[in-house]
Amino acid sequence: MLKILQQIGEYTIFISKVFRRPEKWRIYFQMFIQELWTLGIGSIGIILIISGFMGMVITIQTASQIDSGWIPAYLVGYTTRQSMILEFSPTMLALILSGKIGSNIASELGSMRISEQIDALEIMGINSANYLVLPKITALMVIMPFLVVLSMFIGIFFGYVICETVGVITPSDYIYGIQYDFRPFDIVYALIKAVLFAYIITSVSSFYGYFASGSALEVGKSSTQAVVYSSIVVLIFNYILTQMLLI
Amino acid sequence: MIEIIGLNKSFGENQVLRNIDVVFEEGKSNLLIGASGSGKTTLCKCTVGLHQPDTGTISYNGRIFNQMSHNEKKEIRREIGFLFQGSALFDYMTVEENVMFPIKMFSNLTTKEAKKRVDFCLERVDLKGVNKLMPSELSGGMKKRVGIARAISAKPKYLFCDEPNSGLDPQTSILIDNLIKEITHEYKMTTVVITHDMNSVLEIGEHISFIYKGDMLWDGTNKEVLDTTSTELTDFVYASSFMKELKRMNG
Ligand SMILES: Nc1ncnc2c1ncn2[C@@H]1O[C@H](COP(=O)(O)OP(=O)(O)OP(=O)(O)O)[C@@H](O)[C@H]1O
Ligand SMILES: [Mg+2]
């Protein structure tokens, strides 16, 4: 418990070092664009695959569950839409990205730490936390909502593909279902989660990478920690936000 | 000039530096010699503030580093060039970007002027045509030299080189030694060079400080080092058979 409090303290100090005015805006901006590319565009492949399969599975599962005459078939489309928007696209995606991006960031920063590249920045009088980490955090926070919306579309679209090909329900029922009782606030809720989770993933995994020490083995450990802790924190805040926003 | 008074540093139980007093003079190459593990790297890192010393004051041309505000420290650090023992090149940047990095960060040179400066620095460390290579594509000695080029590219007032010629062949080694000495004189820098290499000691050691297991045991010039009466230093200096032979010949 004490250790957790201490880590939260260290994390807070770290974050206060990260959120400073960049040394040179032009260089910050270059790195920001670069991170948009690596963190954001680089994740599109995995997002397409996972969201597509998830949409198909949800559609089939729901259809097989309510396979009785008196529940209307369009509820399958409705359920797929709600699952994708409320939970899968923002939260599951965040968990998957904390695996991909989190370990990536932690091992990058960790190896910079042990090969003294971070010290080299500090010696030049550069705030290394700000220089290295701020572009990552801001870039993922900017691009994550787009990734989440993409995931929603893909999931819902592949649910439709299932209806067309496997025919668990008719496509027109599905189309009716995904339009049924649509509340725009659900999207807002999902986007709020997206931005918050993007912040959590990048800042927590940067924290573990930045303070790696010792050997390459330690870098591996810190990248595992980065994934585990950013996932846990995502889940905790998912619960808190859901209670705050949906009840 | 850098002046260090009463510096102590421990890592946990392990006291690495004991009551170090030393002056690194301006316009001279100051050598820091001593056996492996004696605390040379730690002393340099304390001097530039990468390690927090337990006690002691460090002053840069009279300005006391420990008492400076955050911004003043930053100013000093922009005047420091540092070559790390393991080079510490930014491995996601090309050689050219590495050397250009301090220039881009702190000066207002145009890209063209900065490129010219990069070429000039690389030429001085005898590297040509490697601008576009990544650090992973270089040999150990080439990395060292790129590290030196990066350390001097923003024209520092204080230059720290942690074993600049380890891993270099004798010829390149001498070239680097002479480069360090030359630019030190040319730009009136305060230069601190960590080395094990007796060649460098004799070649460029205008002021030599000898650390033995965390104590500052001796300081003097390369003329004096051969006639030392300190047994620890004698052991260090005359460790190689070549030096032993030299001693025998000189009687
Ligand atoms: N970050 C650190 N944490 C704990 N101990 C350290 C750390 N850095 C150095 N030491 C210890 O300090 C002592 C001196 O190390 P230092 O790197 O200063 O030696 P050195 O004189 O530079 O040796 P070499 O010539 O081999 O580079 C060693 O005993 C080392 O174990
Ligand atoms: Mg060393």
Side-chain angles (χ1 to χ4, degrees):
Chain A
M1 191 64 204
L2 210 63
K3 203 170 150 241
I4 293 182
L5 286 180
Q6 188 193 345
Q7 289 214 329
I8 293 176
E10 286 168 357
Y11 170 84
T12 313
I13 295 171
F14 171 68
I15 288 302
S16 71
K17 252 185 97 186
V18 171
F19 283 92
R20 295 277 165 81
R21 210 174 61 81
E23 206 72 58
K24 283 213 165 164
W25 282 104
R26 199 165 54 86
I27 291 177
Y28 162 79
F29 201 66
Q30 278 171 6
M31 295 191 48
F32 174 81
I33 299 289
Q34 173 113 40
E35 298 294 351
L36 275 187
W37 197 259
T38 42
L39 301 181
I41 311 299
S43 304
I44 284 183
I46 193 168
I47 289 173
L48 292 184
I49 293 172
I50 293 174
S51 309
F53 276 105
M54 220 49 206
M56 297 195 287
V57 168
I58 293 174
T59 305
I60 295 176
Q61 275 183 353
T62 318
S64 74
Q65 296 291 320
I66 58 172
D67 194 13
S68 67
W70 45 276
I71 296 179
Y74 67 79
L75 275 185
V76 174
Y78 174 76
T79 308
T80 305
R81 185 197 78 206
Q82 289 303 81
S83 312
M84 289 305 295
I85 291 180
L86 290 180
E87 206 47 34
F88 180 81
S89 294
T91 311
M92 281 291 282
L93 207 64
L95 291 177
I96 288 156
L97 291 188
S98 72
K100 180 180 182 289
I101 294 178
S103 62
N104 183 311
I105 290 179
S107 55
E108 178 188 332
L109 292 179
S111 67
M112 289 189 76
R113 164 65 72 191
I114 64 165
S115 61
E116 299 182 308
Q117 294 174 50
I118 291 183
D119 287 341
L121 287 169
E122 287 290 325
I123 277 209
M124 293 174 192
I126 293 166
N127 175 345
S128 59
N130 168 271
Y131 171 80
L132 293 170
V133 178
L134 190 63
K136 295 187 196 301
I137 294 182
T138 46
L140 195 64
M141 285 172 80
V142 166
I143 198 133
M144 187 78 162
F146 294 97
L147 298 180
V148 166
V149 169
L150 176 72
S151 159
M152 291 171 186
F153 273 109
I154 295 294
I156 294 171
F157 171 73
F158 273 87
Y160 173 78
V161 170
I162 282 294
C163 299
E164 278 285 0
T165 53
V166 184
V168 282
I169 60 167
T170 63
S172 57
D173 275 339
Y174 186 82
I175 298 284
Y176 179 76
I178 60 175
Q179 294 166 336
Y180 175 75
D181 190 24
F182 178 71
R183 286 174 303 170
F185 179 73
D186 289 348
I187 302 278
V188 175
Y189 160 80
L191 295 185
I192 291 174
K193 290 215 286 192
V195 174
L196 179 73
F197 294 163
Y199 169 79
I200 291 172
I201 295 169
T202 42
S203 68
V204 170
S205 50
S206 297
F207 172 70
Y208 282 102
Y210 188 83
F211 290 108
S213 61
S215 60
L217 200 65
E218 299 291 321
V219 175
K221 268 190 205 157
S222 66
S223 114
T224 309
Q225 278 180 321
V227 176
V228 171
Y229 286 103
S230 52
S231 307
I232 292 174
V233 177
V234 163
L235 289 173
I236 292 172
F237 276 89
N238 184 40
Y239 171 75
I240 295 174
L241 268 191
T242 308
Q243 194 160 38
M244 270 172 35
L245 297 178
L246 289 193
I247 295 183
Chain B
M1 187 178 81
I2 302 172
E3 198 172 3
I4 296 170
I5 303 169
L7 188 142
N8 282 282
K9 172 72 187 170
S10 357
F11 293 107
E13 293 288 285
N14 178 12
Q15 179 147 23
V16 176
L17 295 171
R18 261 180 303 271
N19 219 359
I20 301 283
D21 295 325
V22 63
V23 175
F24 299 125
E25 294 166 41
E26 187 172 294
K28 282 191 182 171
S29 34
N30 301 274
L31 264 52
L32 204 50
I33 62 175
S36 179
S38 54
K40 305 178 298 292
T41 300
T42 308
L43 178 58
C44 280
K45 286 191 174 173
C46 286
T47 309
V48 297
L50 278 180
H51 289 321
Q52 183 65 36
D54 305 335
T55 60
T57 53
I58 297 155
S59 59
Y60 283 81
N61 285 343
R63 298 170 291 176
I64 297 179
F65 192 70
N66 325 47
Q67 297 171 356
M68 283 179 198
S69 70
H70 181 73
N71 279 339
E72 285 171 312
K73 278 188 184 161
K74 229 170 157 172
E75 288 302 310
I76 289 274
R77 285 186 164 178
R78 302 216 161 147
E79 300 173 349
I80 294 178
F82 200 107
L83 168 70
F84 284 82
Q85 194 163 357
S87 304
L89 300 180
F90 302 125
D91 51 23
Y92 55 95
M93 294 182 188
T94 62
V95 166
E96 179 172 281
E97 286 164 344
N98 262 285
V99 181
M100 203 186 285
F101 185 81
I103 308 174
K104 248 168 98 183
M105 227 47 192
F106 305 123
S107 75
N108 296 316
L109 294 188
T110 62
T111 309
K112 205 172 150 209
E113 289 168 324
K115 275 221 167 83
K116 234 173 111 190
R117 173 84 193 147
V118 170
D119 287 336
F120 174 76
C121 292
L122 284 174
E123 209 162 298
R124 291 211 76 162
V125 294
D126 203 24
L127 281 176
K128 266 187 233 157
V130 297
N131 292 36
K132 298 293 174 215
L133 295 185
M134 300 304 281
S136 57
E137 298 170 299
L138 302 177
S139 73
M142 287 161 98
K143 281 186 198 159
K144 270 262 141 85
R145 286 183 279 160
V146 176
I148 295 174
R150 184 178 70 184
I152 63 176
S153 68
K155 301 189 180 164
K157 277 193 191 155
Y158 310 95
L159 178 64
F160 292 81
C161 295
D162 196 343
E163 304 194 6
N165 42 25
S166 68
L168 296 182
D169 60 278
Q171 255 179 320
T172 318
S173 189
I174 288 173
L175 182 109
I176 295 296
D177 281 345
N178 285 326
L179 164 70
I180 291 174
K181 189 170 166 182
E182 256 173 58
I183 56 177
T184 300
H185 290 188
E186 214 174 302
Y187 302 117
K188 287 260 175 302
M189 291 193 296
T190 304
T191 302
V192 181
V193 179
I194 298 179
T195 186
H196 296 276
D197 183 21
M198 277 313 293
N199 268 333
S200 313
V201 172
L202 299 177
E203 188 90 19
I204 60 167
E206 295 168 290
H207 174 241
I208 300 165
S209 311
F210 175 61
I211 298 194
Y212 182 77
K213 292 188 179 162
D215 291 305
M216 190 58 81
L217 273 196
W218 184 91
D219 73 325
T221 66
N222 52 357
K223 307 274 174 341
E224 294 159 358
V225 78
L226 294 175
D227 304 323
T228 175
T229 52
S230 148
T231 44
E232 288 86 0
L233 182 56
T234 309
D235 289 347
F236 181 88
V237 170
Y238 295 105
S240 74
S241 45
F242 171 74
M243 290 301 291
K244 282 194 189 107
E245 185 66 12
L246 193 74
K247 187 177 190 180
R248 199 184 54 75
M249 274 167 22
N250 287 349

